[in-house]
Amino acid sequence: MNPNELSKFPTVVVIGGGFGGIQVAKQLANKPVEVILLDKHNYHTFQPLLYQVATGGLEAESIGFSLRKNFEGQKNLRFRIAEVSKIDTESNIVHTDIGPIPYDYLVIATGSTTNFFGNKDIEKYAMPMKSIPEALNLRYMVLQNLEEAILKPSKEERAPYLSFVLVGAGPTGVELAGALAELRNHVLNKDYPELAKEEMKVYLVDFLPKVLGPFSDEGSKAAQGFLTKMGVEVLLNVKVESYNGEEIKFEGGKSIRTKNVIWSAGVAGVVPDGVGKEAIERGNRIKVDNVCRMVGSSNIFAIGDVAAMITDDTPKGHPGVAQVAIQMGQLTGKNINRIIRGEQPEPFKYFDKGSLATIGRNKAIADLGKIRFQGFFAWLIWMFVHLISLMGGRNRVIVFINWVASYMNNNGGSRLIIRKFKPEELASKTEQVSKPD
Amino acid sequence: MNPNELSKFPTVVVIGGGFGGIQVAKQLANKPVEVILLDKHNYHTFQPLLYQVATGGLEAESIGFSLRKNFEGQKNLRFRIAEVSKIDTESNIVHTDIGPIPYDYLVIATGSTTNFFGNKDIEKYAMPMKSIPEALNLRYMVLQNLEEAILKPSKEERAPYLSFVLVGAGPTGVELAGALAELRNHVLNKDYPELAKEEMKVYLVDFLPKVLGPFSDEGSKAAQGFLTKMGVEVLLNVKVESYNGEEIKFEGGKSIRTKNVIWSAGVAGVVPDGVGKEAIERGNRIKVDNVCRMVGSSNIFAIGDVAAMITDDTPKGHPGVAQVAIQMGQLTGKNINRIIRGEQPEPFKYFDKGSLATIGRNKAIADLGKIRFQGFFAWLIWMFVHLISLMGGRNRVIVFINWVASYMNNNGGSRLIIRKFKPEELASKTEQVSKPD
């Protein structure tokens, strides 16, 4: 690529190679623009399967896909690993750790991060799971605490190492709970004959009265039933008060001694510095109009988890799911083309394809509009949808083999502690989220 | 397992879950002994394929195998992640970071680590590759330096990031050189259109006059031919003088500016503290008699890379290869059984199955006694031997798929930078070798 040759075309800078950012870049292939895609990692993360990386069922590389590989052959695109420090909306420049990058159009597709709602202690001691490095930390922590448990002589001393408290009963919490219950029910006795299965406890906690909040009541009830049957203790209408690394306390007096608190109770948008306060909505999201344009700007777009498109139909904005990001990304890529051609951008219309969540190794919940079903068939649908959504043929084959192996022998996963997780690293985990690690 | 029930049996402590240690433990299954297997990691590393992890062709988990999973069902065995601090040969106790462990029989199967021959600067700046974490560091370093290179405006500034100097032309150096040459020849242009293929240089350096020193001249010459054809610059009869992180200097005045020096020029045994100086041989190995017993001891054995069995036939001991460790491990397990039964231990006889080394994605060198061949058929043999030697059916299937995919599309490997490698970590890498990370 000769940069001089391209300089006559407008530059579109896309921040973030998640579900949304990738679609924007794809729509701009072979168009008269220069695309610069920035991400702090050199890979796309297939977030819906992060929980399987955390529980050892899949390798990190099966749900990560090289952004360079993905855009091989797209001649008008350059990819850079970069950390954005600030956006200068006056001069149209993105400031990064690899230098300033001028843009004609900017797409903010930075996604969301874990929201601890300002509770610094919980932030310090609880584990988030929004990125591959965080999922790996979680995997190593679980394994290390099982190893630690067998060194303790009494049941009481073992208890905090063997108690897993998942806060937030959305899809992430539910899927993690299922996977940890499988680990307890099928692997623990084989790998750790010193430990009794009953000593390992999995708790799923939410302040709402139901699991899988946004799902139908039918799906939500079925999920709770599956979890309970697998031995997960579901605690609803329960608010977390504090966690000090040793004991989690709930409003009303109940508490659990545990070294393992996993927090998936909320997210907040990752908004780059330089976005005006007037454009920030609840949940630290960027307020956008109906074509995903940041309010008050003519050439900056925000899509996916970081965007809040408040309309009469969506008073809280759209749900933070992959489909919203993908559809916003496709539209925004097309709209930038339209704007460059002098046409009007088209408004966003979300097509809700439905929701899926899996529980354990062979059950799932499917809420596909008015069609709702639960159990084994839903799990087949879940498998199929996730396999075709993965990037890369090799990833699909390898994930499929892993799932078949784990379905058949109930002992999937490699369970290696490749890099020891050090709890003191948690103190700086917010930093980890924003920096490549 | 009830420890009290076992206490009437003698305790065999095995330090190290490598090729040798695993065989000892296996031979003791269902025998009247209690086996305690210690390793600083919770997995076995299939070292012959480490270079493929380093170059992104295989995932770490494909060549690591959970030691707990491997010994599922062996009721007389307990596994512990432990770091040995000292052996007390008087009181028959192994001191570890999880407490003291008494033994009746001790097998030291600690393997070897990178030998920098006392050159502190090289140790500080060059990359070793003897463990999975080290192979991952190497992978991330290569990818990060490619990313760094595209940010540099001139060819001269890019050169040190794009020059890879492999010191040591044994199988590890040769196989790494082949894999890096493949990366240059087939991937670089696709992933980094900003870089010209010719800018990336791969050098293979040895002070010996041939590559693959222990191989036949025929095999060695063929290997050198394959490498040269792939664009690797082979520098023989060349001794490294110094490396400061920016420039490697050779005796005689030649030097290369490079950020990437990978050191596989020698190994040294990992001998636990407490082994008397009189039992240490050249290469920091433990002197053993012809039944692998440490000289001066009746109940301590050393096997594999850490053992030096000096006989008239083997004046320098045996080669540091997996087969020696495996065969010594099998014999030592059987011998411990014999000793417990009151029988005489049998002497070690090494059965040399031959040597294999692969070059690039479809060539190999096979030296099988008097039968020697090179090229594609040797590569098929190499593939077959390595596949059947891997532990775990899933690993075999996944490695096979990866190899087929990479053979067919020449673009294998996921090339993700999961954890940024920080060069300053190299300063403490000797520590990394001995601690789980």
Side-chain angles (χ1 to χ4, degrees), chain B residues 11-28:
Chain B
T11 299
V12 181
V13 173
V14 180
I15 310 176
F19 287 112
I22 280 185
Q23 294 300 330
V24 176
K26 266 191 191 168
Q27 293 294 336
L28 297 172

Side-chain angles (χ1 to χ4, degrees), chain B residues 335-391:
Chain B
N335 275 345
I336 290 173
N337 282 325
R338 289 189 184 104
I339 292 168
I340 287 169
R341 286 198 304 263
E343 297 167 19
Q344 283 300 310
E346 288 190 0
F348 180 66
K349 264 185 207 143
Y350 177 47
F351 174 58
D352 186 353
K353 293 185 175 172
S355 305
L356 291 165
T358 178
I359 294 140
R361 84 199 155 92
N362 60 5
K363 286 184 220 60
I365 310 295
D367 267 17
L368 313 175
K370 278 168 191 161
I371 307 164
R372 295 175 197 141
F373 47 102
Q374 303 88 30
F376 184 73
F377 183 65
W379 177 72
L380 290 179
I381 302 282
W382 177 93
M383 271 222 311
F384 176 75
V385 167
H386 284 78
L387 279 177
I388 58 165
S389 309
L390 272 175
M391 283 204 283

Side-chain angles (χ1 to χ4, degrees), chain A residues 295-358:
Chain A
V295 294
S297 171
S298 64
N299 62 344
I300 301 180
F301 299 81
I303 60 173
D305 281 13
V306 78
M309 187 186 289
I310 311 293
T311 65
D312 291 346
D313 290 344
T314 58
K316 292 178 174 179
H318 294 85
V321 297
Q323 272 303 322
V324 169
I326 290 169
Q327 295 177 28
M328 283 185 168
Q330 285 168 337
L331 181 83
T332 300
K334 285 179 188 160
N335 276 345
I336 290 173
N337 283 325
R338 288 187 185 108
I339 293 168
I340 288 169
R341 286 198 304 262
E343 299 167 17
Q344 284 299 312
E346 288 190 2
F348 180 66
K349 264 185 209 143
Y350 177 46
F351 173 60
D352 187 353
K353 293 185 175 174
S355 305
L356 292 164
T358 178

Side-chain angles (χ1 to χ4, degrees), chain A residues 42 59 61 68-69 72 80 147 150 191 194 394 401-402 411 413 415 417-419 437, chain B residues 42 59 61 68-69 72 80 147 150 191-192 194 394 401-402 411 413 415 417-419 437:
Chain A
N42 72 342
E59 295 328 318
E61 284 81 358
R68 289 198 175 280
K69 209 171 186 174
E72 269 174 13
R80 292 291 182 271
E147 293 289 338
I150 57 173
D191 266 22
E194 296 94 338
R394 201 183 58 153
I401 288 171
N402 275 309
N411 191 3
R415 299 192 291 280
I417 304 173
I418 301 279
R419 280 183 201 264
D437 49 351
Chain B
N42 72 341
E59 294 328 317
E61 285 80 359
R68 291 199 175 278
K69 208 171 185 174
E72 269 174 13
R80 293 290 181 271
E147 293 289 338
I150 56 170
D191 266 22
Y192 300 90
E194 297 93 337
R394 201 184 56 150
I401 289 172
N402 275 309
N411 191 4
R415 300 193 291 279
I417 304 172
I418 301 281
R419 280 184 201 263
D437 50 351

Side-chain angles (χ1 to χ4, degrees), chain A residues 2 41 175:
Chain A
N2 179 349
H41 293 124
E175 295 182 323

Side-chain angles (χ1 to χ4, degrees), chain A residues 49-80:
Chain A
L49 291 176
L50 267 181
Y51 81 97
Q52 294 210 0
V53 170
T55 49
L58 289 178
E59 295 328 318
E61 284 81 358
S62 299
I63 69 153
F65 196 80
S66 161
L67 287 167
R68 289 198 175 280
K69 209 171 186 174
N70 190 50
F71 289 105
E72 269 174 13
Q74 184 164 335
K75 291 209 188 302
N76 69 341
L77 181 137
R78 281 185 286 166
F79 170 74
R80 292 291 182 271

Side-chain angles (χ1 to χ4, degrees), chain B residues 156-387:
Chain B
E156 214 194 312
E157 285 172 88
R158 287 192 291 272
Y161 295 95
L162 295 174
S163 298
F164 296 83
V165 180
L166 314 173
V167 184
T172 300
V174 164
E175 295 182 324
L176 260 179
L180 286 172
E182 294 282 2
L183 182 73
R184 183 188 60 175
N185 298 345
H186 300 292
V187 173
L188 198 70
N189 277 171
K190 289 184 206 156
D191 266 22
Y192 300 90
E194 297 93 337
L195 299 173
K197 205 171 93 172
E198 293 67 31
E199 288 190 53
M200 180 171 163
K201 308 274 187 198
V202 182
Y203 302 92
L204 180 64
V205 181
D206 206 297
F207 74 97
L208 290 174
K210 60 186 270 200
V211 303
L212 294 178
F215 278 59
S216 68
D217 282 348
E218 182 185 335
S220 166
K221 265 179 203 149
Q224 192 173 341
F226 291 148
L227 287 167
T228 308
K229 216 171 160 187
M230 292 170 77
V232 174
E233 294 193 34
V234 182
L235 308 174
L236 300 173
N237 294 306
V238 168
K239 267 195 176 169
V240 175
E241 200 173 78
S242 67
Y243 179 53
N244 61 4
E246 302 285 338
E247 188 172 29
I248 186 166
K249 287 188 177 160
F250 306 107
E251 281 183 20
K254 196 178 152 58
S255 70
I256 297 168
R257 284 172 59 229
T258 175
K259 295 267 184 188
N260 312 282
V261 171
I262 299 135
W263 190 265
S264 62
V267 295
V270 177
V271 178
D273 276 3
V275 172
K277 273 189 185 152
E278 70 288 353
I280 306 289
E281 255 298 324
R282 197 168 39 169
N284 203 39
R285 292 173 300 168
I286 298 174
K287 218 185 283 187
V288 296
D289 65 13
N290 68 348
V291 300
C292 292
R293 202 153 34 186
M294 183 168 95
V295 294
S297 169
S298 64
N299 62 344
I300 300 181
F301 300 81
I303 60 174
D305 281 12
V306 78
M309 188 184 288
I310 310 291
T311 67
D312 290 345
D313 290 344
T314 57
K316 293 179 174 180
H318 293 84
V321 297
Q323 273 303 322
V324 170
I326 290 169
Q327 294 177 30
M328 283 186 169
Q330 285 168 339
L331 181 82
T332 301
K334 285 179 188 159
N335 275 345
I336 290 173
N337 282 325
R338 289 189 184 104
I339 292 168
I340 287 169
R341 286 198 304 263
E343 297 167 19
Q344 283 300 310
E346 288 190 0
F348 180 66
K349 264 185 207 143
Y350 177 47
F351 174 58
D352 186 353
K353 293 185 175 172
S355 305
L356 291 165
T358 178
I359 294 140
R361 84 199 155 92
N362 60 5
K363 286 184 220 60
I365 310 295
D367 267 17
L368 313 175
K370 278 168 191 161
I371 307 164
R372 295 175 197 141
F373 47 102
Q374 303 88 30
F376 184 73
F377 183 65
W379 177 72
L380 290 179
I381 302 282
W382 177 93
M383 271 222 311
F384 176 75
V385 167
H386 284 78
L387 279 177

